[in-house]
């Protein structure tokens, strides 16, 4: 393994004398270079241990072990810290066993070889995402019958009022999520931990769909869906963070994006349930809404079998518990000890930018601390882009759209099921591409393609309804649109937003991201029934096609890449000023892309913006 390859496994940079408690004059290798995490104009990413000699690292580790009563694992901590200091040269660390050397080597050679506890955590939490997908499609199918059943038909003298009302009922979970549910994440995580917050959210997601199925009036249905939103918001703001904090950097994107994979699976299951109960008469819409409780049940029963986030334990000063969690989440004791000390060293550096205020103060710091503000901007961009792309006009209202295209109730439900199937199948490629091509690349590839497919679907409404090509072409382009969405803008927003904030602002930052996403989902849900009536499907689809291009430009300028970096390394990525990042994209990346892919010049070279500093030579 080359030095460069090793550097990809572990990295970043810092003020070592602050982070490890060492004085500059006692360091054998001189004073560590200080990187301003709020203004990283050098765009460097360094390892906080790299400027220390092996002897100094050992001394600091021993102090760490005595301070936190971890002397029983001191041999692992010593070796782990030396491996973290110079990941490319792990073979030369004294007393390394063959098993430990193989385990470190496999972090790149066989990166998917991980403990069962890690996969159990990811799978179980991802099942929670199915609640959101299932609810979207449950209301999608129920839209065909519940308005009439509850006395708010979308035709007749009160059609305009009722269209807004149906949109409001569909939007209720997203309204509650954006205004309250997601903001519960910070206090719930602080008091109960990641697992406790997820457990509370699962209770809401279990009981609220059952309440929706029993509603006798539209206000009752509206209230039960508001309660569902509390659980959805708390869950959406916590689960991606929980998964990101438990997962190694090399596969973090591929595993955390299981949130989207299971959301897509929930959409497919919801579409399947809609079809299964479509002939049950007056109770069909009740079954379609109520069935969304099913995926919440395993989440409720299994979440405490998962290890708690080690970073949450470190934040609380419970280093022994953090090590126990890491031991379940890593293949060897050495890797657990290495990650414990390395995360601890990096988190200490984050104190340069960590606010110590209360809930309100931390929210304000999302916009006032430069490093955090850049993460807030990037999170805002990817989250709002998920609504701007138009995916939810299909997820919420595909049955209505297909019915307007001339399909019967059964045909509309089958077409919606096809959308769910495509959305699920095409989410799989992202598992393997999100950590290789990267989050930013997937977004920049998919948005232009979503724009033209959505526009094409809109223009297909001009095909005469008498022609079989009318419905077939609309369905085709909607399916192709979903195929482009699923590996790009589908998995990236929640994965990306869970990564970009420092530990001190991670809960409040993720709450901000979910509030933006759910809030605009509610706007879309409320407005689309009326938009269809006033603008026609062609105008509505064309409007969202234009928003795709707008989102593409926003992502190009405001969203840095985060692939294969530890969560703490991202402090250096977001330490780079936004203006510097925008100039690089405009004057370096864009000319390179034109030369390489338009003029086909293979000699075109792009100098990377971020520079990974290597270990200094030993004395």
């Amino acid at each position: 393994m080359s030095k460069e390859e090793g550097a990809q496994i572990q990295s970043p940079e810092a003020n070592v004398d602050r982070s490890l408690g060492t004085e500059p004059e006692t360091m054998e290798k001189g004073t560590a270079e200080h990187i301003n995490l709020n203004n990283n104009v050098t765009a460097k990413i360094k390892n906080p241990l790299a400027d220390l000699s092996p002897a100094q690292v050992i001394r600091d580790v021993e102090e760490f072990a005595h301070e936190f009563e971890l002397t029983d694992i001191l041999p692992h901590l010593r070796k782990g810290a030396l491996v973290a200091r110079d990941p490319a040269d792990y073979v030369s660390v004294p007393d390394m066993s063959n098993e430990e050397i193989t385990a470190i080597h496999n972090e790149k050679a066989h990166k998917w070889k991980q403990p069962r506890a890690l996969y159990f955590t990811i799978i179980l939490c991802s099942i929670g995402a199915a609640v959101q997908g299932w609810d979207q499609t449950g209301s999608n199918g129920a839209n065909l019958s519940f308005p009439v059943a509850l006395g708010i038909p979308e035709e007749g003298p009160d059609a305009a009022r009722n269209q807004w009302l149906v949109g409001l009922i569909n939007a209720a979970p997203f309204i509650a999520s954006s205004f309250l549910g997601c903001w519960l994440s910070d206090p719930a995580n602080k008091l109960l931990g990641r697992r406790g917050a997820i457990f509370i959210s699962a209770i809401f997601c279990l009981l609220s769909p059952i309440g929706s199925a029993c509603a006798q009036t539209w206000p009752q249905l509206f209230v039960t869906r508001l309660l569902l939103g509390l659980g959805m918001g708390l869950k959406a703001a916590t689960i991606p963070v929980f998964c990101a904090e438990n997962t190694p950097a090399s596969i973090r994107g591929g595993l955390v994006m299981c949130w989207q994979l299971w959301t897509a699976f929930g959409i497919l299951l919801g579409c399947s349930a809609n079809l299964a109960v479509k002939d049950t008469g007056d109770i069909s819409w009740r079954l379609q809404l109520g069935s969304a409780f099913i995926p919440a049940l395993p989440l409720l029963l299994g979440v405490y079998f998962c290890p708690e986030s080690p970073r949450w334990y470190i934040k609380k000063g419970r280093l022994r518990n953090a090590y126990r969690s890491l031991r379940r989440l890593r293949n060897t004791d050495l890797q657990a000890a290495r990650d414990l000390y390395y995360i601890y060293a990096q988190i200490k550096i984050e104190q340069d930018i960590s606010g110590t205020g209360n809930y309100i103060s931390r929210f304000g710091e999302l916009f006032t601390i430069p490093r955090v503000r850049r993460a807030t901007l990037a999170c805002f961009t990817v989250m709002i882009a998920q609504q701007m792309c138009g995916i939810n006009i299909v997820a919420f209202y595909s049955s209505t759209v297909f019915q307007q295209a001339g399909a019967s109730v059964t045909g509309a439900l089958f077409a919606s099921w096809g959308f769910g199937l495509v959305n699920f199948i095409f989410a799989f490629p992202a598992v393997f591409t999100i950590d290789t091509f990267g989050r930013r690349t997937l977004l920049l590839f998919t948005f232009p393609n979503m724009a033209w497919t959505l526009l094409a679907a809109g223009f297909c409404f001009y095909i005469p309804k008498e022609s079989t090509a009318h419905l077939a072409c609309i369905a085709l382009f909607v399916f192709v649109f979903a195929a482009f969405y699923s590996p790009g803008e589908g998995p990236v927003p929640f994965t990306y937003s869970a990564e970009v904030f420092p530990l001190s602002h991670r809960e409040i930052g993720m709450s901000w991201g979910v509030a933006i996403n759910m809030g605009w989902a509610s706007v879309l849900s409320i407005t689309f029934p009326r938009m269809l009536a006033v603008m026609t499907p062609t105008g509505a689809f064309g409007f969202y096609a234009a928003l795709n291009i707008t989102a593409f430009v926003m992502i190009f300028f405001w969203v840095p890449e985060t692939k294969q970096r530890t969560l703490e390394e991202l402090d250096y990525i977001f330490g780079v000023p936004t203006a510097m990042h925008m100039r690089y994209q405009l004057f370096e990346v864009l000319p390179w892309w034109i030369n390489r892919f338009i003029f086909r010049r293979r000699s075109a070279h792009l100098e990377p913006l971020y520079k990974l500093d290597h270990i200094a030579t030993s004395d």
Side-chain angles (χ1 to χ4, degrees):
M1 183 183 296
S2 69
K3 198 176 191 67
E4 289 77 7
E5 289 174 328
Q8 289 292 333
I9 301 174
Q10 302 283 340
S11 316
E13 175 162 33
N15 183 357
V16 178
D17 52 310
R18 284 191 71 256
S19 67
L20 298 177
T22 59
E23 297 298 327
E25 59 267 25
T26 65
M27 292 173 59
E28 299 178 8
K29 302 175 71 173
T31 303
E33 178 186 2
H34 178 71
I35 299 295
N36 185 349
L37 297 181
N38 284 319
N39 190 33
N40 184 12
V41 294
T42 62
K44 286 184 178 180
I45 305 171
K46 282 188 66 176
N47 185 326
L49 308 180
D51 291 308
L52 301 176
S53 69
Q56 182 64 55
V57 170
I58 294 300
R59 284 197 294 272
D60 291 336
V61 165
E62 290 174 347
E63 292 177 7
F64 167 81
H66 284 91
E67 179 181 356
F68 294 102
E69 300 180 353
L70 296 171
T71 53
D72 56 309
I73 62 169
L74 189 53
H76 292 306
L77 285 170
R78 291 193 188 102
K79 289 188 288 184
L82 292 176
V83 171
R85 173 184 173 272
D86 190 1
D89 196 27
Y90 63 87
V91 177
S92 66
V93 173
D95 302 322
M96 290 280 284
S97 67
N98 290 334
E99 178 187 1
E100 291 168 339
I101 291 174
T102 300
I104 300 297
H105 171 73
N106 285 343
E107 287 179 326
K108 281 190 69 69
H110 302 285
K111 64 182 182 179
W112 294 100
K113 186 179 180 181
Q114 301 292 336
R116 291 180 180 177
L118 176 61
Y119 284 115
F120 177 80
T121 299
I122 299 298
I123 292 172
L124 182 74
C125 291
S126 297
I127 290 174
V131 176
Q132 184 168 332
W134 199 320
D135 175 72
Q136 289 176 7
T137 45
S139 61
N140 188 328
N143 283 334
L144 299 179
S145 53
F146 90 79
V148 174
L150 297 182
I152 48 174
E154 294 182 81
E155 297 179 356
D158 295 324
R161 167 188 172 274
N162 291 346
Q163 286 163 0
W164 286 109
L165 194 54
V166 169
L168 182 65
I169 292 171
N170 283 326
F174 304 100
I175 294 172
S177 176
S178 61
F179 283 97
L180 183 58
C182 62
W183 300 108
L184 295 175
S185 171
D186 188 283
N189 276 269
K190 183 178 181 179
L191 295 174
L192 305 173
R194 310 284 189 245
R195 296 180 301 178
I198 294 169
F199 180 81
I200 297 299
S201 73
I203 293 175
F204 280 95
C205 292
L206 177 70
L207 299 180
S208 299
I210 297 174
S212 297
C214 298
Q216 300 301 310
T217 64
W218 73 258
Q220 291 177 3
L221 179 60
F222 180 69
V223 170
T224 57
R225 289 180 63 76
L226 285 175
L227 293 174
L228 174 62
L230 297 182
M232 286 174 57
L234 179 57
K235 171 172 58 65
T238 303
I239 286 181
V241 169
F242 181 52
C243 295
E245 291 183 342
N246 284 1
T247 309
S250 60
I251 58 171
R252 186 176 64 243
L255 290 184
V256 178
M257 67 78 50
C258 285
W259 168 271
Q260 168 59 23
L261 183 65
W262 282 85
T263 299
F265 186 59
I267 290 174
L268 177 61
L269 290 178
C271 291
S272 301
N274 289 344
L275 278 170
V277 301
K278 69 180 179 64
D279 295 325
T280 55
D282 293 340
I283 65 169
S284 62
W285 67 270
R286 298 184 183 277
L287 297 176
Q288 288 164 343
L289 291 175
S291 60
F293 86 91
I294 296 173
L297 188 60
L299 181 66
L300 181 73
L301 298 177
V303 66
Y304 277 102
F305 291 98
C306 303
E308 180 58 275
S309 163
R311 285 176 169 86
W312 184 83
Y313 278 134
I314 293 174
K315 183 179 181 179
K316 295 294 184 179
R318 298 162 62 179
L319 277 294
R320 170 70 65 180
N321 297 90
Y323 175 72
R324 288 172 181 159
S325 284
L326 282 167
R327 184 60 195 88
R328 294 180 62 190
L329 295 166
R330 302 295 183 263
N331 286 312
T332 65
D333 292 341
L334 172 67
Q335 290 167 300
R338 176 203 62 190
D339 288 357
L340 176 70
Y341 187 69
Y342 192 55
I343 294 170
Y344 171 80
Q346 292 172 314
I347 289 174
K348 293 287 285 185
I349 295 167
E350 282 187 0
Q351 291 177 355
D352 281 339
I353 54 171
S354 295
T356 57
N358 56 28
Y359 186 94
I360 302 299
S361 298
R362 287 200 306 280
F363 177 77
E365 287 164 356
L366 293 178
F367 310 96
T368 57
I369 297 177
R371 179 265 181 262
V372 183
R373 184 174 64 239
R374 296 177 195 116
T376 302
L377 175 62
C379 170
F380 166 84
T381 301
V382 298
M383 283 297 202
I384 197 172
Q386 192 173 70
Q387 303 307 327
M388 292 171 70
C389 78
I391 186 64
N392 283 333
I393 66 175
V394 182
F396 296 167
Y397 294 108
S398 62
S399 297
T400 303
V401 170
F402 289 130
Q403 192 176 52
Q404 288 201 11
S408 63
V409 171
T410 300
L413 291 175
F414 266 110
S416 295
W417 182 84
F419 160 76
L421 181 64
V422 170
N423 191 30
F424 176 58
I425 291 175
F426 282 88
F428 278 97
V431 175
F432 306 102
T433 58
I434 196 169
D435 287 312
T436 51
F437 295 116
R439 288 73 158 147
R440 176 183 168 85
T441 301
L442 290 178
L443 293 178
L444 294 177
F445 170 74
T446 56
F447 267 91
N449 288 295
M450 287 191 291
W452 75 259
T453 51
L454 206 57
L455 193 62
F459 279 117
C460 286
F461 278 89
Y462 286 127
I463 299 174
K465 278 191 176 183
E466 296 76 20
S467 172
T468 56
H470 177 82
L471 178 59
C473 288
I474 292 171
L476 171 65
F477 284 111
V478 167
F479 293 168
V480 175
F481 166 78
F484 280 118
Y485 165 84
S486 293
E489 181 57 13
V492 168
F494 283 86
T495 301
Y496 191 88
S497 300
E499 299 172 331
V500 296
F501 292 97
L503 183 62
S504 58
H505 295 76
R506 194 161 292 151
E507 295 93 342
I508 194 76
M510 190 64 184
S511 297
W512 156 261
V514 174
I516 293 298
N517 188 280
M518 299 292 187
W520 284 97
S522 66
V523 171
L524 184 151
S525 183
I526 292 171
T527 59
F528 194 68
R530 189 60 183 161
M531 187 181 291
L532 276 178
V534 175
M535 298 176 62
T536 74
T538 300
F541 277 40
F543 174 78
Y544 280 99
L547 290 184
N548 272 276
I549 301 302
T550 305
F552 173 85
V553 175
M554 294 166 60
I555 290 164
F556 183 78
F557 284 113
W558 294 340
V559 176
E561 183 55 74
T562 61
K563 69 171 183 176
Q564 296 186 351
R565 300 293 183 194
T566 67
L567 295 179
E568 291 71 32
E569 284 179 348
L570 296 180
D571 289 329
Y572 300 94
I573 300 293
F574 288 94
V576 175
T578 301
M580 181 178 174
H581 180 266
M582 293 175 68
R583 285 195 301 270
Y584 175 77
Q585 302 304 324
L586 184 61
F587 298 113
E588 299 291 338
V589 174
L590 185 59
W592 167 81
W593 190 89
I594 292 173
N595 278 309
R596 179 66 182 84
F597 297 103
I598 302 298
F599 297 116
R600 314 299 294 177
R601 294 172 181 167
R602 296 184 177 273
S603 60
H605 174 69
L606 178 64
E607 187 69 25
L609 173 61
Y610 307 109
K611 304 171 183 65
L612 180 63
D613 276 13
H614 300 299
I615 188 78
T617 56
S618 301
D619 292 337

